[in-house]
Amino acid sequence: MAMPRAVSLSVAVLLALLASAESWLYEEFTTDGNVRADYNAQGQQVASLVLTQQSGGGAFGSRQKYLYGQFSIQMKLVPGNSAGTVTSFYLSSGDGPGHDEIDMEFMGNATGQPVVLNTNVWANGDGKKEHQFDLWFDPAADFHTYTIIWNDKNVLFKVDDLFIRSFRRYADLPYPGAKPMSVHATLWDGSYWATQKGKVPVDWSGAPFVVSYRGYTADACVPNGGEGSPLSCPAGTDRWMNRQLDDAERGTVAWAKRDYMRYNYCDDGWRFPQGFPAECSRG
């Protein structure tokens, strides 16, 4: 039986929409493990990472490395009891002992408890710069936008339209400013660490655990050759290359710190018995 004309036209429109949709996942990234890609009704590609006990989690990493830029993605986190799971969006120069890294990690929690966002900055293998925040909304109910702005002055962390942290550069202290970094997203079993310092492991009866990503953008500079080579930057780089917080944005950082900060490495005397890192006393 022939397909009705209206249905035929609807299918044709849908196929055209999908063909013209932004297919960012496989063009921009390589994948590993349990990764799915679909399209929503608006023609946006949605990448999903899936975690099960039998097959582990999933990940994708960018084919390109960058040196400074603005990186943004929309995420919908694991719903319900996500305790023990870790979802991430981060930059990394690699796995070596002197690597650089900028992290946004989401540590799962029991149903009804806030998900914790862990932000961290590594430079030349020196990390331990965590600021952790209880998210003030349900990150599994809908997509929210998470952004990292990285330039030669500071690293800025942003949730939707709100800046929550600024990690400043000081000339005499380690800073991730020399090593190109790739962009990564992962979902994995962090039972030993993620929830209440490892006291609450993953409840596998709730598997599969799924986190979804969409709307990825990288407005960033690309090295032309090896370390120290000139950068190839997009037009209008000043919109993020010179970006620092204004007074109102410093106010949102203060609000997040006052009302939602769970952990600040600069307050952890037990961890630093010989004295806090130098940047802790520099405002």
Side-chain angles (χ1 to χ4, degrees):
M1 185 174 68
M3 182 181 296
R5 176 173 166 74
V7 174
S8 178
L9 287 173
S10 296
V11 172
V13 169
L14 177 60
L15 291 175
L17 178 64
L18 295 182
S20 64
E22 183 186 6
S23 301
W24 55 269
L25 178 62
Y26 297 114
E27 284 73 12
E28 300 277 352
F29 295 90
T30 60
T31 64
D32 184 46
N34 294 334
V35 183
R36 301 195 306 239
D38 297 295
Y39 291 90
N40 62 19
Q42 290 73 43
Q44 292 177 294
Q45 188 176 56
V46 179
S48 296
L49 304 182
V50 183
L51 173 65
T52 69
Q53 189 172 21
Q54 293 74 27
S55 56
F60 53 86
S62 67
R63 302 175 187 275
Q64 182 66 63
K65 285 196 170 187
Y66 305 95
L67 188 57
Y68 301 137
Q70 178 171 296
F71 308 88
S72 185
I73 202 161
Q74 296 176 2
M75 299 170 58
K76 187 176 182 180
L77 300 188
V78 175
N81 182 7
S82 60
T85 67
V86 179
T87 302
S88 70
F89 177 58
Y90 69 100
L91 310 176
S92 178
S93 66
D95 298 325
H99 79 291
D100 291 351
E101 188 168 310
I102 301 171
D103 296 328
M104 298 185 83
E105 297 173 307
F106 302 83
M107 301 182 290
N109 217 331
T111 304
Q113 297 298 311
V115 169
V116 177
L117 168 56
N118 179 53
T119 65
N120 199 5
V121 177
W122 292 73
N124 297 324
D126 177 21
K128 301 179 182 177
K129 314 290 186 186
E130 300 97 332
H131 281 185
Q132 297 178 359
F133 304 88
D134 290 339
L135 291 179
W136 50 94
F137 53 86
D138 179 359
D142 203 350
F143 284 89
H144 290 265
T145 304
Y146 304 93
T147 302
I148 295 169
I149 298 175
W150 169 40
N151 58 39
D152 63 356
K153 300 173 181 63
N154 48 207
V155 176
L156 305 176
F157 296 88
K158 190 177 181 183
V159 177
D160 292 325
D161 294 325
L162 299 174
F163 286 95
I164 62 168
R165 182 181 183 185
S166 170
F167 182 85
R168 294 176 58 191
R169 182 176 196 166
Y170 296 97
D172 59 330
L173 298 178
Y175 184 83
K179 300 180 181 71
M181 294 198 276
S182 50
V183 183
H184 299 267
T186 59
L187 172 62
W188 52 284
D189 174 10
S191 292
Y192 72 95
W193 163 74
T195 306
Q196 298 180 33
K197 299 182 178 179
K199 294 178 182 178
V200 185
V202 171
D203 178 1
W204 293 109
S205 68
F209 302 100
V210 180
V211 59
S212 298
Y213 297 78
R214 72 182 188 191
Y216 168 73
T217 61
D219 183 8
C221 296
V222 176
N224 280 328
E227 187 171 324
S229 299
L231 297 178
S232 175
C233 298
T237 299
D238 283 353
R239 61 182 164 266
W240 53 260
M241 184 62 88
N242 296 313
R243 190 72 163 86
Q244 299 183 78
L245 300 182
D246 60 26
D247 288 343
E249 292 161 347
R250 282 190 286 271
T252 69
V253 170
W255 163 81
K257 182 176 182 180
R258 181 185 66 245
D259 293 349
Y260 294 101
M261 181 172 281
R262 172 180 290 239
Y263 176 83
N264 181 349
Y265 74 103
C266 287
D267 294 333
D268 193 345
W270 179 87
R271 192 178 188 186
F272 300 104
Q274 304 303 317
F276 292 110
E279 67 270 11
C280 292
S281 61
R282 299 191 186 182

